[in-house]
Amino acid sequence: MRPCDHSSSVSFCSWYRVLVKGVLTNGLVSVFQLDYGKHELVNCTQLRPLTQEFCQLPFQAITAQLAGVKPRQWSEEAAIVFRNHVEKKPLVAQLESVHEASQSWDRKVVIYLVDTSQEERDIWLHDIMAEFTDEMSNAA
Protein backbone atom coordinates (compact mmCIF):
# COMPACT_ATOMS: atom_id res chain seq x y z
CA MET A 1 0.00 0.00 0.00
CA ARG A 2 1.42 3.40 -0.99
CA PRO A 3 1.31 6.13 1.69
CA CYS A 4 -0.84 8.41 -0.40
CA ASP A 5 -3.54 5.78 -0.83
CA HIS A 6 -5.28 7.00 2.33
CA SER A 7 -5.82 9.94 4.60
CA SER A 8 -7.41 9.78 8.02
CA SER A 9 -9.68 12.11 9.92
CA VAL A 10 -8.71 12.17 13.58
CA SER A 11 -10.97 15.00 14.70
CA PHE A 12 -13.81 16.93 13.17
CA CYS A 13 -12.72 18.40 9.81
CA SER A 14 -9.01 17.63 10.38
CA TRP A 15 -7.39 15.42 7.75
CA TYR A 16 -3.90 13.96 7.87
CA ARG A 17 -1.76 12.15 5.32
CA VAL A 18 -1.02 8.71 6.73
CA LEU A 19 0.81 5.49 5.98
CA VAL A 20 -1.30 2.46 6.91
CA LYS A 21 0.93 0.21 9.05
CA GLY A 22 -1.58 -2.52 9.86
CA VAL A 23 -5.24 -3.46 10.18
CA LEU A 24 -6.56 -4.92 13.43
CA THR A 25 -9.48 -7.35 13.64
CA ASN A 26 -11.62 -4.91 15.65
CA GLY A 27 -11.90 -2.44 12.76
CA LEU A 28 -9.07 -0.21 13.96
CA VAL A 29 -6.16 0.67 11.69
CA SER A 30 -2.62 1.48 12.82
CA VAL A 31 -1.39 4.54 10.93
CA PHE A 32 1.66 6.81 10.86
CA GLN A 33 1.03 10.51 10.25
CA LEU A 34 3.52 11.37 7.51
CA ASP A 35 3.59 15.09 8.31
CA TYR A 36 3.62 14.91 12.12
CA GLY A 37 5.52 11.70 12.84
CA LYS A 38 2.79 10.41 15.13
CA HIS A 39 1.57 6.80 15.38
CA GLU A 40 -2.08 6.25 16.23
CA LEU A 41 -5.06 3.96 15.90
CA VAL A 42 -8.06 5.16 13.89
CA ASN A 43 -11.34 3.55 12.89
CA CYS A 44 -11.26 2.17 9.36
CA THR A 45 -14.28 4.34 8.54
CA GLN A 46 -12.05 7.42 9.01
CA LEU A 47 -9.81 6.53 6.05
CA ARG A 48 -10.33 8.11 2.65
CA PRO A 49 -8.34 8.04 -0.60
CA LEU A 50 -6.01 10.99 -0.86
CA THR A 51 -6.18 13.09 -3.99
CA GLN A 52 -3.07 12.94 -6.15
CA GLU A 53 -2.27 16.64 -5.70
CA PHE A 54 -1.62 16.06 -1.98
CA CYS A 55 0.66 13.11 -2.75
CA GLN A 56 3.08 15.43 -4.57
CA LEU A 57 3.90 17.46 -1.45
CA PRO A 58 6.97 16.25 0.50
CA PHE A 59 6.28 14.64 3.87
CA GLN A 60 7.15 16.88 6.81
CA ALA A 61 7.99 14.30 9.48
CA ILE A 62 11.53 12.95 9.63
CA THR A 63 12.50 9.95 11.74
CA ALA A 64 15.43 10.81 14.00
CA GLN A 65 17.77 8.89 16.26
CA LEU A 66 19.89 10.35 19.04
CA ALA A 67 23.57 10.13 18.15
CA GLY A 68 26.16 9.04 20.71
CA VAL A 69 24.05 6.25 22.25
CA LYS A 70 23.17 2.80 21.00
CA PRO A 71 19.60 2.42 19.74
CA ARG A 72 17.57 0.44 22.27
CA GLN A 73 14.23 0.16 24.01
CA TRP A 74 14.51 2.68 26.82
CA SER A 75 13.10 2.15 30.30
CA GLU A 76 10.12 4.23 31.36
CA GLU A 77 12.40 6.24 33.65
CA ALA A 78 14.83 6.96 30.79
CA ALA A 79 11.96 8.01 28.51
CA ILE A 80 10.66 10.42 31.17
CA VAL A 81 14.11 11.93 31.70
CA PHE A 82 14.54 12.39 27.94
CA ARG A 83 11.08 13.91 27.56
CA ASN A 84 11.72 16.34 30.44
CA HIS A 85 14.90 17.55 28.72
CA VAL A 86 13.40 18.05 25.26
CA GLU A 87 9.69 18.88 25.46
CA LYS A 88 8.85 22.52 24.81
CA LYS A 89 12.52 23.50 24.86
CA PRO A 90 14.49 25.10 22.07
CA LEU A 91 17.35 22.75 21.27
CA VAL A 92 20.20 22.78 18.80
CA ALA A 93 20.54 19.72 16.58
CA GLN A 94 23.91 18.74 15.16
CA LEU A 95 23.55 16.36 12.24
CA GLU A 96 25.73 13.26 12.51
CA SER A 97 24.44 11.35 9.47
CA VAL A 98 21.52 10.74 7.13
CA HIS A 99 20.36 7.21 6.32
CA GLU A 100 18.61 7.35 2.96
CA ALA A 101 15.93 4.80 2.07
CA SER A 102 14.01 3.81 -1.01
CA GLN A 103 10.83 5.29 0.51
CA SER A 104 11.07 8.86 1.80
CA TRP A 105 9.14 8.01 4.98
CA ASP A 106 11.84 5.44 5.89
CA ARG A 107 14.68 8.01 5.78
CA LYS A 108 16.33 8.64 9.14
CA VAL A 109 18.67 11.29 10.50
CA VAL A 110 21.06 10.70 13.38
CA ILE A 111 21.53 13.86 15.44
CA TYR A 112 23.11 15.17 18.60
CA LEU A 113 20.73 17.33 20.65
CA VAL A 114 22.14 20.20 22.68
CA ASP A 115 20.43 22.45 25.21
CA THR A 116 22.26 25.79 24.94
CA SER A 117 19.95 27.73 27.26
CA GLN A 118 22.35 27.82 30.21
CA GLU A 119 25.06 30.47 30.13
CA GLU A 120 27.68 28.43 31.96
CA ARG A 121 27.54 25.23 29.86
CA ASP A 122 25.80 23.35 27.10
CA ILE A 123 23.91 20.16 27.94
CA TRP A 124 24.39 17.35 25.41
CA LEU A 125 21.44 14.95 25.61
CA HIS A 126 23.45 11.87 24.62
CA ASP A 127 25.62 12.38 27.74
CA ILE A 128 22.52 12.27 29.94
CA MET A 129 21.08 9.23 28.13
CA ALA A 130 24.45 7.42 28.25
CA GLU A 131 23.94 7.10 32.01
CA PHE A 132 20.89 4.93 31.31
CA THR A 133 22.88 2.87 28.80
CA ASP A 134 25.52 2.27 31.51
CA GLU A 135 22.81 1.30 34.03
CA MET A 136 21.30 -1.20 31.57
CA SER A 137 24.75 -2.70 30.87
CA ASN A 138 25.50 -3.04 34.60
CA ALA A 139 22.11 -4.69 35.24
CA ALA A 140 22.74 -7.35 32.58
Side-chain angles (χ1 to χ4, degrees):
M1 186 171 293
R2 294 190 340 261
C4 284
D5 285 343
H6 294 91
S7 176
S8 84
S9 173
V10 179
S11 60
F12 184 72
C13 294
S14 295
W15 292 89
Y16 302 92
R17 296 187 297 172
V18 299
L19 173 66
V20 174
K21 302 295 280 184
V23 180
L24 306 177
T25 56
N26 60 0
L28 293 178
V29 180
S30 173
V31 298
F32 176 72
Q33 291 184 1
L34 294 162
D35 296 310
Y36 293 92
K38 182 179 174 187
H39 293 270
E40 64 182 347
L41 294 175
V42 297
N43 193 295
C44 63
T45 61
Q46 294 177 287
L47 295 176
R48 300 287 185 272
L50 190 63
T51 60
Q52 192 61 34
E53 67 183 301
F54 293 114
C55 294
Q56 305 307 316
L57 301 169
F59 305 130
Q60 300 301 301
I62 300 172
T63 301
Q65 174 185 327
L66 184 63
V69 292
K70 292 181 181 177
R72 64 177 65 245
Q73 182 68 37
W74 295 100
S75 68
E76 185 176 339
E77 179 187 4
I80 291 169
V81 167
F82 181 80
R83 193 174 302 119
N84 287 340
H85 278 88
V86 301
E87 272 187 350
K88 298 181 181 175
K89 291 187 178 185
L91 300 172
V92 173
Q94 179 180 325
L95 182 65
E96 172 71 14
S97 62
V98 177
H99 298 262
E100 293 294 343
S102 59
Q103 303 296 335
S104 61
W105 59 86
D106 286 331
R107 183 179 57 202
K108 177 174 72 174
V109 296
V110 180
I111 58 173
Y112 289 100
L113 289 176
V114 189
D115 180 348
T116 60
S117 64
Q118 296 184 11
E119 276 191 39
E120 58 277 357
R121 69 181 183 101
D122 292 340
I123 300 171
W124 292 74
L125 272 288
H126 72 282
D127 289 337
I128 292 168
M129 299 312 293
E131 295 175 24
F132 291 96
T133 302
D134 293 343
E135 286 177 15
M136 294 174 106
S137 298
N138 292 339

